[in-house]
Amino acid sequence: MTKLKPKSSSRKRRMLASFGKLIAFNIIEMRLAAPIFAQYCKSFHDYGDIVKQIMSKARELNRTKCMRTQLLSLEQLFEELRDQNEGRIDRSSEEWTNIKDLAHRFALMAGVDNYKSRQAVVTFHREGIIYCLLRNGPPDGSPPSNIVFFDILAETTFKLMDIDKKGPKGLLAFLEEQLMKEGEIPEDEIEWGPLRTYRTALVGSMSEPYMYYGSAGKRKLMGSPMRLWM
């Protein structure tokens, strides 16, 4: 990023700090800070310290709202990049890598105490899963338009506790429940790759059996993930 002139940088830093105070004192909705959170890495040299402080204050106010705002900022970056590329995402591009890196940094900012951030991180993933599988119409065999966003979620699974990944009410069960609405998923289509990447991050190994939890909470074995997801 081009370094700003001292006077311009100083003025913008003051404006950003003032905006941060509005968040800190609950004067405006936290979600309005999403575009600012989105610029954390891109503007790190000029404003990174202030943006980080704003996120820290937001986390002190409400960890779950803070992570929801971070999720929103990632969604905004994702949609902006997709629109710039006529509806497609190049998963090998530098721009996509930068968004994944930002997601990873957001997860690190949740703190070292996973118990304190547990609910916030789970909410981040549950709402992220719903976003990934959003459709404008009924399932038609093709992947949802946000399917690639699973790559972003996969960058943050290291903050999840095992029970929240694979427990009876964990994210893996929630994911399978949402996927049941999709019907049969093609086994070999590359477009579903991000989903497989995310699910592998939750399971921990593709050698583990593919399972989901029925409506009564009964664990059901569906077969090998190598067959169903590869």
Side-chain angles (χ1 to χ4, degrees):
M1 183 176 181
T2 303
K3 190 174 182 179
L4 296 174
K5 295 180 179 180
K7 288 185 178 179
S8 175
S9 177
S10 179
R11 182 177 67 255
K12 291 180 178 180
R13 283 176 62 86
R14 288 196 300 270
M15 292 174 62
L16 188 58
S18 296
F19 180 85
K21 291 180 180 179
L22 297 178
I23 296 292
F25 290 103
N26 257 333
I27 297 175
I28 62 175
E29 292 185 17
M30 194 181 297
R31 66 190 310 274
L32 296 178
I36 292 175
F37 289 6
Q39 299 302 311
Y40 176 62
C41 290
K42 186 177 181 180
S43 62
F44 187 83
H45 178 81
D46 295 300
Y47 310 116
D49 58 327
I50 300 179
V51 176
K52 186 175 183 179
Q53 185 176 24
I54 293 174
M55 286 192 282
S56 178
K57 289 295 184 182
R59 189 167 58 251
E60 289 177 10
L61 285 173
N62 189 304
R63 289 176 182 269
T64 299
K65 282 187 178 181
C66 180
M67 291 209 71
R68 276 177 168 154
T69 303
Q70 290 173 331
L71 176 63
L72 178 59
S73 70
L74 294 168
E75 292 170 355
Q76 290 174 348
L77 287 173
F78 165 70
E79 292 174 7
E80 180 182 344
L81 181 61
R82 186 178 58 189
D83 291 345
Q84 290 173 355
N85 291 276
E86 299 180 348
R88 300 188 65 85
I89 295 289
D90 180 357
R91 297 171 69 194
S92 64
S93 68
E94 181 180 357
E95 292 84 358
W96 185 238
T97 299
N98 290 339
I99 299 176
K100 290 168 64 177
D101 179 61
L102 179 61
H104 190 84
R105 288 172 181 262
F106 282 166
L108 289 173
M109 289 178 186
V112 296
D113 190 337
N114 288 346
Y115 283 96
K116 286 185 178 180
S117 60
R118 180 181 180 184
Q119 185 58 50
V121 175
V122 170
T123 299
F124 177 95
H125 278 267
R126 288 176 69 92
E127 296 186 2
I129 289 171
I130 292 172
Y131 176 77
C132 289
L133 297 176
L134 277 178
R135 286 187 180 276
N136 292 325
D140 56 5
S142 63
S145 59
N146 297 340
I147 192 74
V148 186
F149 198 80
F150 273 118
D151 279 351
I152 302 298
L153 294 184
E155 289 292 323
T156 66
T157 53
F158 70 95
K159 292 299 296 182
L160 289 164
M161 300 178 69
D162 283 345
I163 187 64
D164 293 326
K165 290 180 181 180
K166 297 180 284 186
K169 296 183 179 180
L171 288 164
L172 184 58
F174 179 75
L175 173 63
E176 309 303 358
E177 179 184 338
Q178 297 302 309
L179 288 175
M180 289 176 70
K181 303 173 185 176
E182 288 289 325
E184 184 177 355
I185 297 176
E187 299 177 16
D188 56 355
E189 289 192 9
I190 193 171
E191 289 84 357
W192 290 92
L195 169 60
R196 293 193 289 268
T197 298
Y198 179 66
R199 188 187 176 281
T200 300
L202 293 179
V203 173
S205 171
M206 285 303 291
S207 63
E208 293 190 29
Y210 175 84
M211 298 180 177
Y212 78 93
Y213 291 83
S215 59
K218 184 178 179 181
R219 202 175 194 190
K220 302 181 180 180
L221 179 63
M222 297 298 290
S224 167
M226 296 299 290
R227 177 175 64 82
L228 293 170
W229 291 89
M230 294 301 289

